[in-house]
Amino acid sequence: MKTRMHATLTRGLIVALAVMLLLPAAAAAKTITLSYANFPPAPTFPCVQMERWKTEVEKRTNGQVQVKTYPGGTLLGAKEMMDGVIAGQADIGNLCMAYQPGRFIVTNATSLPLDIPDARVGSLVLWDLYQKYQPAAFGQVKVLTMFTTAPANIMSKKAVRSLGDIKGLDLRASGGAAQILKAWGANQVGMPMSATPEALQKGVVQGLFSSLEVMKDLKFAETCKYVTMTDTVIYPFAVVMNMERWKALPADVQKVMDELALEQAEWTGNYMDGHVKNAMQWSVKTHKVEVIELDAPTKVEWSGRLQFITDQWITDAKAKGFPSREIVEDIQRLTKKHNP
Ligand code: DTR
């Protein structure tokens, strides 16, 4: 009797011990793998920030989360990003909001000619704006971070020094920047950045309007020998996650990602600003690119042509039910806040 009880106790102890030993192992073994889709090629800034986010998340979750990245449109293309993530074709996706101007009305307002000076300020303004308005356009996803480019300038095969030079020139731009090019008299051609290298090569366009880091990252300095400085508008980006996948994450993993959101926005802005400088030094030195600065009267003439854009946007967005004037005033106030 005594021995049988002893045996049962010993067996119970062994089972308990085994459970205690195996449980943490089982938990540790349960890694979560997330796919992360991006549309442009790997050397471009949206993919550089993606790799940085991956590294930080894997480190801060002690390897519990593994992120598999898909640059270059290998999982989802530029315009499929939002719907692809909503449908779960990718767990996470990075999108350029300007490629769907009618869809992201509130956040795309950062693309109005409102003189946001650089990508760091742009990214912080955008994040604050998103937090304040929580636009319905993002209601079906979890937003992991947002950031912007540095201001856009003209990269072209021929020199653009005046409104006469830009008149009728085939230049690629998308989103709000399209209106800007038209206002200057260019022939605006719309396409995502991922389609631009081929369009330039085939002569479909004679240049583009965007932030200047692509002179190096996409080797545009090989064909575009002129850069006209206009420092006009930034482009907003968002990194979004499938809502069900987000809800299924353990709370401590969600905390890591939430804590990274603002930090990642600022990191990307700083990276972009520094990289634009590098890219231009490289372009001038290696490819003898000429940087054209417009003189003061010309600058006034060029920016005068853009004045109607913000007013028009305020009227149009108001008609769609958005508090458009307040949004513009918020962008101006936040720009001052982050660029005192
Ligand atoms: N300015 C936008 C966005 C953009 C700027 N640099 C890159 C690099 C890769 C993809 C998109 C972008 C544009 O011109 O598309």
Side-chain angles (χ1 to χ4, degrees):
M1 175 78 168
K2 225 176 170 184
T3 25
R4 218 186 308 146
M5 225 170 82
H6 196 238
T8 318
L9 260 177
T10 321
R11 226 179 298 135
L13 263 175
I14 291 171
V15 171
L17 212 80
V19 168
M20 270 165 66
L21 282 173
L22 285 175
L23 258 185
K30 219 175 139 258
T31 36
I32 303 159
T33 306
L34 299 175
S35 57
Y36 188 153
N38 220 328
F39 63 95
T44 59
F45 92 99
C47 294
V48 172
Q49 74 76 35
M50 168 171 78
E51 294 303 327
R52 189 264 173 180
W53 190 86
K54 165 191 160 79
T55 307
E56 289 303 317
V57 166
E58 289 179 354
K59 193 166 74 190
R60 294 178 195 195
T61 61
N62 297 316
Q64 191 191 353
V65 174
Q66 294 293 310
V67 183
K68 179 137 180 38
T69 56
Y70 295 86
T74 43
L75 187 54
L76 288 172
K79 293 187 185 174
E80 316 163 322
M81 212 46 91
M82 189 65 161
D83 291 327
V85 169
I86 291 172
Q89 287 166 272
D91 299 323
I92 302 170
N94 174 40
L95 59 107
C96 178
M97 300 173 211
Y99 298 164
Q100 288 168 295
R103 186 167 188 174
F104 305 104
I105 303 218
V106 176
T107 41
N108 267 331
T110 55
S111 256
L112 291 167
L114 294 170
D115 293 330
I116 291 178
D118 55 39
R120 188 193 71 87
V121 173
S123 301
L124 296 175
V125 169
L126 174 63
W127 185 246
D128 281 357
L129 194 76
Y130 167 70
Q131 296 288 335
K132 175 168 173 184
Y133 289 94
Q134 305 272 327
F138 294 97
Q140 284 175 276
V141 291
K142 165 72 186 176
V143 175
L144 294 176
T145 190
M146 285 191 181
F147 49 83
T148 73
T149 63
N153 294 294
I154 300 166
M155 296 158 251
S156 51
K157 296 182 184 179
K158 68 166 240 193
V160 175
R161 299 177 203 279
S162 65
L163 287 176
D165 292 335
I166 199 174
K167 198 169 169 29
L169 192 64
D170 297 324
L171 290 179
R172 172 266 165 201
S174 46
Q179 242 187 321
I180 291 175
L181 285 184
K182 283 183 200 155
W184 288 334
N187 179 28
Q188 180 266 340
V189 185
M191 68 185 79
M193 184 60 87
S194 30
T196 310
E198 197 183 319
L200 263 177
Q201 209 176 13
K202 289 195 172 153
V204 174
V205 292
Q206 298 304 309
L208 70 151
F209 184 60
S210 185
S211 47
L212 295 173
E213 86 295 343
V214 285
M215 287 291 277
K216 184 172 187 193
D217 295 345
L218 294 174
K219 304 256 179 328
F220 291 158
E222 287 173 3
T223 39
C224 296
K225 296 295 176 192
Y226 300 92
V227 165
T228 305
M229 298 303 292
T230 60
D231 276 339
T232 322
V233 286
I234 53 91
Y235 280 70
F237 281 71
V239 179
V240 296
M241 181 167 182
N242 177 276
M243 195 58 110
E244 268 145 51
R245 287 291 272 163
W246 167 258
K247 284 188 179 153
L249 290 177
D252 55 341
V253 170
Q254 289 183 341
K255 190 162 175 273
V256 164
M257 292 183 185
D258 274 336
E259 282 173 359
L260 195 53
L262 173 61
E263 182 194 315
Q264 180 74 12
E266 191 166 21
W267 185 93
T268 307
N270 281 329
Y271 167 78
M272 167 58 111
D273 290 330
H275 194 53
V276 162
K277 288 196 187 106
N278 286 341
M280 283 313 293
Q281 277 165 6
W282 175 86
S283 303
V284 170
K285 198 164 172 243
T286 317
H287 290 285
K288 308 278 173 283
V289 167
E290 183 186 344
V291 178
I292 300 165
E293 298 281 355
L294 302 176
D295 57 28
T298 314
K299 258 191 199 155
V300 172
E301 190 189 11
W302 285 55
S303 52
R305 293 231 176 173
L306 307 184
Q307 264 161 14
F308 78 98
I309 293 178
T310 303
D311 293 338
Q312 173 105 52
W313 182 86
I314 290 176
T315 309
D316 293 350
K318 191 169 170 223
K320 288 183 188 135
F322 292 93
S324 53
R325 190 167 295 280
E326 188 187 333
I327 293 171
V328 168
E329 283 167 5
D330 274 328
I331 295 172
Q332 289 165 328
R333 178 182 55 79
L334 291 167
T335 304
K336 282 205 193 96
K337 174 184 154 193
H338 292 297
N339 190 37

